[in-house]
Amino acid sequence: MSRRERMERRLERRLNWGNRATAEAEHRSQAASAAVEGIPFGQPILVGHHSERRHRRALERSDRNMTAACAADARSQRHHQVASTLAARLESTVFSDDPDALEALQEKIIKLEGKRDAIKAVNSAWRKAGKPKADDQEGWTRVAVTLGVELQVLASARLNQARDFMDRGPYPTYVSTNLGANIRRCQERMKSIQTRAERQAKATAAGGVVLTSHEGGYLEVTFAEKPSRNVLERLKAANFHWSNGSWFGKSSDDILTYLKVER
């Protein structure tokens, strides 16, 4: 099961829990109202009257149900909030084991590069226009003319400048730096995904697993598909660790024999 599928299952469970909690809250709330339905609003308990015990029991039932309704409503809100977060992550995250991960990362890089180029262009035009203040309409009109855009397009850039108490311009340097770092991370992820795919292809061609020896007596184990839990537990027990699509650890006759038998 892929990471996306696992997260989708988590989302589904949270939604189910949240919906059940919502239904319970509604049921309990209705029960709380029904418990005192025959008692006029504001009617005091008539101490010593034959209705006193019935009145007190009705209030207790109403209170219990209303307390349970509030607790269920809190659970519902919590589960739906987690579900909302998971849905947002599924929408924005590119998982390395997605079938279209390389294409998605390439699209993300193109968007990030476009955003960085646009920021650099605004900053450059702003400097050429004499570094106008955020409220300098004439100065920012010159910026818009230089960029060949309408002045309204630069509203967010002017707002950024107005919020910056250090008066560093529309976009501080760190904004472009952070975008560049995100671009590099995406590029590194693409390389990692390609390397992993190549290793898994070799493992498939070799019958399911490739054993590669390295200097210092270390062994690299690459599987074409995720192995069974028994195999994973055996590797972990031998102090092997997962890295970039393969398992790495100290080679031994026991682990080599085990892997060859399992193969």
Side-chain angles (χ1 to χ4, degrees):
M1 185 182 299
S2 68
R3 290 185 62 190
R4 182 173 296 278
E5 289 171 337
R6 289 197 295 272
M7 187 172 289
E8 287 173 343
R9 286 199 175 187
R10 288 172 58 196
L11 171 60
E12 184 178 359
R13 286 198 299 271
R14 287 288 181 173
L15 288 173
N16 288 336
W17 294 342
N19 292 338
R20 285 203 297 268
T22 299
E24 180 184 351
E26 293 176 353
H27 172 72
R28 289 287 195 166
S29 179
Q30 291 172 0
S33 299
V36 293
E37 188 175 8
I39 302 174
F41 181 76
Q43 172 67 48
I45 297 175
L46 302 178
V47 179
H49 192 265
H50 67 83
S51 65
E52 178 184 356
R53 293 179 63 186
R54 185 170 64 251
H55 194 161
R56 291 185 184 279
R57 288 197 299 269
L59 292 178
E60 289 172 359
R61 287 197 302 274
S62 179
D63 184 64
R64 285 198 303 271
N65 279 293
M66 186 55 67
T67 299
C70 291
D73 183 65
R75 291 198 306 275
S76 173
Q77 291 185 35
R78 183 171 65 254
H79 289 314
H80 281 112
Q81 180 60 47
V82 174
S84 177
T85 301
L86 290 172
R89 288 182 60 190
L90 283 168
E91 181 69 24
S92 62
T93 303
V94 178
F95 295 97
S96 296
D97 54 358
D98 283 344
D100 61 343
L102 290 175
E103 293 81 358
L105 284 171
Q106 186 60 49
E107 290 179 5
K108 188 173 182 178
I109 289 173
I110 292 173
K111 290 180 180 178
L112 290 171
E113 288 177 337
K115 187 175 181 179
R116 182 180 60 179
D117 292 343
I119 285 174
K120 288 182 176 180
V122 170
N123 282 346
S124 176
W126 174 76
R127 288 191 294 269
K128 290 179 179 178
K131 299 183 178 180
K133 299 291 185 181
D135 58 354
D136 185 349
Q137 187 83 0
E138 182 179 349
W140 274 94
T141 299
R142 293 196 298 271
V143 176
V145 170
T146 301
L147 294 172
V149 299
E150 296 293 331
L151 183 60
Q152 292 82 354
V153 175
L154 301 175
S156 61
R158 296 176 68 182
L159 183 60
N160 285 338
Q161 184 185 13
R163 288 174 174 172
D164 190 353
F165 67 93
M166 297 181 67
D167 197 21
R168 289 172 292 189
Y171 298 101
T173 304
Y174 71 81
V175 177
S176 295
T177 302
N178 290 343
L179 286 171
N182 285 332
I183 291 169
R184 289 190 295 274
R185 277 195 292 270
C186 289
Q187 291 171 338
E188 289 300 320
R189 285 191 64 195
M190 289 184 67
K191 292 179 183 179
S192 176
I193 292 170
Q194 290 171 332
T195 300
R196 182 181 301 182
E198 291 171 358
R199 288 177 176 175
Q200 290 177 338
K202 290 180 181 179
T204 300
V209 63
V210 170
L211 306 178
T212 306
S213 299
H214 293 278
E215 294 182 2
Y218 286 94
L219 180 67
E220 175 185 345
V221 185
T222 305
F223 296 98
E225 298 180 355
K226 184 177 180 179
S228 67
R229 182 174 293 276
N230 290 336
V231 174
L232 294 178
E233 290 178 350
R234 186 63 180 268
L235 288 170
K236 291 177 181 178
N239 294 321
F240 275 69
H241 66 277
W242 172 262
S243 177
N244 197 26
S246 299
W247 290 87
F248 293 87
K250 203 72 171 176
S251 180
S252 67
D253 292 338
D254 288 342
I255 198 67
L256 285 171
T257 301
Y258 176 78
L259 289 172
K260 290 176 180 178
V261 169
E262 286 296 315
R263 180 180 177 183

